[in-house]
Amino acid sequence: MHERLEALGEPARLRIVRLLTERPLSVGVIAERTGLRQPQATKHLQRLERAGLVVSRRSANRRVYALEPEPLRELAALLTGLADTAEAHRGGRETFEAYFAAVEAETRAADRARWADERTFVFDRVLRASRATVWSHLTEPDLLARWWAPNDLTVTEAALEPRPGGRAVLAYRDAADTSGVDGTVGRAEGVVDEVAEGERIVLRLSPLLPDGGTAFTGHYEFTLSDTEGGTGLAVRLRITDSAVASAEFVAGIEIGWNQSLDKLTAAVTGGASPQQDREEEPS
């Protein structure tokens, strides 16, 4: 299959294949219609024949080539399958495009220190779980690690000590890197400021830039309340101390937090996250 794709990847050979869809042709006619010299045409045709895409027969002093349709159908089935799979997971591509569009916009805006200061983000969810269950997912490292990351990252270290002055730490690696080759690709460090057990936790958390500097300080407030459907969770994030180099971090907040909260929803209920459901819908 690889050899066939490689054979068709050369523009002159693809032109030859297009010609042969109409009828078998001799080397001379193929050379004339494609604008190739006859030795060049012969070389390309031999490559196509080795790949199983054409067959040739000697007729008097001519060699005539004919196209083999079945290998093309196999290639078409392969490419159609790849396209169908990509379409079925189009949510991931749409998120990819949305994130990099946001990166471009935020990079243009990041023209000075503290450029994003006082920007505020608010997220709300109703979780079908008890307040105690939601609280444990906010404060217990093993449970926190299940959800506090966008879909393309996996938490490798998590700490959120539910007491004033307690440590807050999150470290990430690429979710596709199961070998750990790339190691930590992101880290955030901070401190807990206020705690009302089962009700409210306030903390500061700063993602670190590659050089070890601070991208920004995120002031987080998590508030839990009883609702008819279970537990209401409100997340409020306010930015201060934003560095010029923080544009990529700020661009990912909206998408990343919605994905993280989708994962939290799945974690506390034991079901598939809304994002997973959307990606698995048939096209």
Side-chain angles (χ1 to χ4, degrees):
M1 193 70 72
H2 175 76
E3 187 179 7
R4 293 171 184 172
L5 286 168
E6 194 174 69
L8 289 172
E10 210 285 330
R13 289 196 285 269
L14 186 57
R15 290 202 306 272
I16 290 170
V17 167
R18 284 175 172 156
L19 273 179
L20 292 175
T21 58
E22 301 171 3
R23 53 172 289 187
L25 296 170
S26 69
V27 177
V29 172
I30 291 169
E32 180 186 358
R33 292 192 182 180
T34 57
L36 297 169
R37 295 194 302 273
Q38 189 156 321
Q40 290 178 307
T42 298
K43 185 177 179 180
H44 286 311
L45 286 160
Q46 288 171 343
R47 179 63 183 280
L48 291 168
E49 190 165 24
R50 286 197 302 273
L53 294 168
V54 301
V55 294
S56 67
R57 297 289 185 269
R58 173 68 67 180
S59 176
N61 63 345
R62 299 183 308 152
R63 182 164 289 276
V64 178
Y65 284 83
L67 191 64
E68 290 277 58
E70 192 55 37
L72 294 176
R73 289 194 182 97
E74 292 173 3
L75 283 175
L78 169 66
L79 296 174
T80 298
L82 293 173
D84 288 346
T85 300
E87 179 64 22
H89 295 84
R90 63 188 178 277
R93 177 55 186 259
E94 290 167 357
T95 300
F96 172 88
E97 297 291 353
Y99 170 66
F100 282 101
V103 168
E104 290 183 9
E106 299 294 13
T107 299
R108 289 193 296 270
D111 58 355
R112 65 196 183 284
R114 299 183 178 275
W115 65 280
D117 281 18
E118 301 307 320
R119 192 178 297 190
T120 301
F121 301 84
V122 178
F123 306 92
D124 293 289
R125 288 288 190 282
V126 174
L127 306 174
R128 297 187 180 279
S130 67
R131 193 187 295 191
T133 297
V134 176
W135 183 258
S136 66
H137 279 75
L138 288 175
T139 57
E140 295 181 16
D142 289 348
L143 297 179
L144 189 68
R146 295 182 185 180
W147 67 270
W148 195 329
N151 294 341
D152 62 337
L153 297 176
T154 296
V155 175
T156 56
E157 181 184 356
L160 204 166
E161 299 170 352
R163 58 177 176 79
R167 239 178 18 122
V169 176
L170 287 160
Y172 311 93
R173 65 169 168 79
D174 192 318
D177 178 17
T178 57
S179 66
V181 171
D182 288 339
T184 299
V185 298
R187 185 176 179 86
E189 299 175 352
V191 62
V192 175
D193 291 319
E194 300 175 33
V195 175
E197 187 170 352
E199 295 181 4
R200 184 169 174 266
I201 187 165
V202 178
L203 62 123
R204 285 167 285 150
L205 193 63
S206 298
L208 302 181
L209 296 166
D211 64 4
T214 298
F216 61 80
T217 298
H219 301 259
Y220 292 86
E221 181 178 351
F222 297 84
T223 305
L224 281 65
S225 60
D226 293 326
T227 67
E228 185 176 345
T231 300
L233 173 65
V235 182
R236 185 176 187 272
L237 164 60
R238 179 174 60 88
I239 292 175
T240 63
D241 308 317
S242 52
V244 172
S246 67
E248 289 189 13
F249 294 84
V250 174
I253 289 173
E254 193 82 34
I255 292 171
W257 264 101
N258 277 309
Q259 290 182 350
S260 292
L261 292 174
D262 282 349
K263 290 164 72 174
L264 175 60
T265 300
V268 299
T269 60
S273 72
Q275 178 66 23
Q276 289 172 322
D277 286 341
R278 285 193 293 272
E279 290 185 359
E280 292 171 5
E281 287 176 358
S283 57

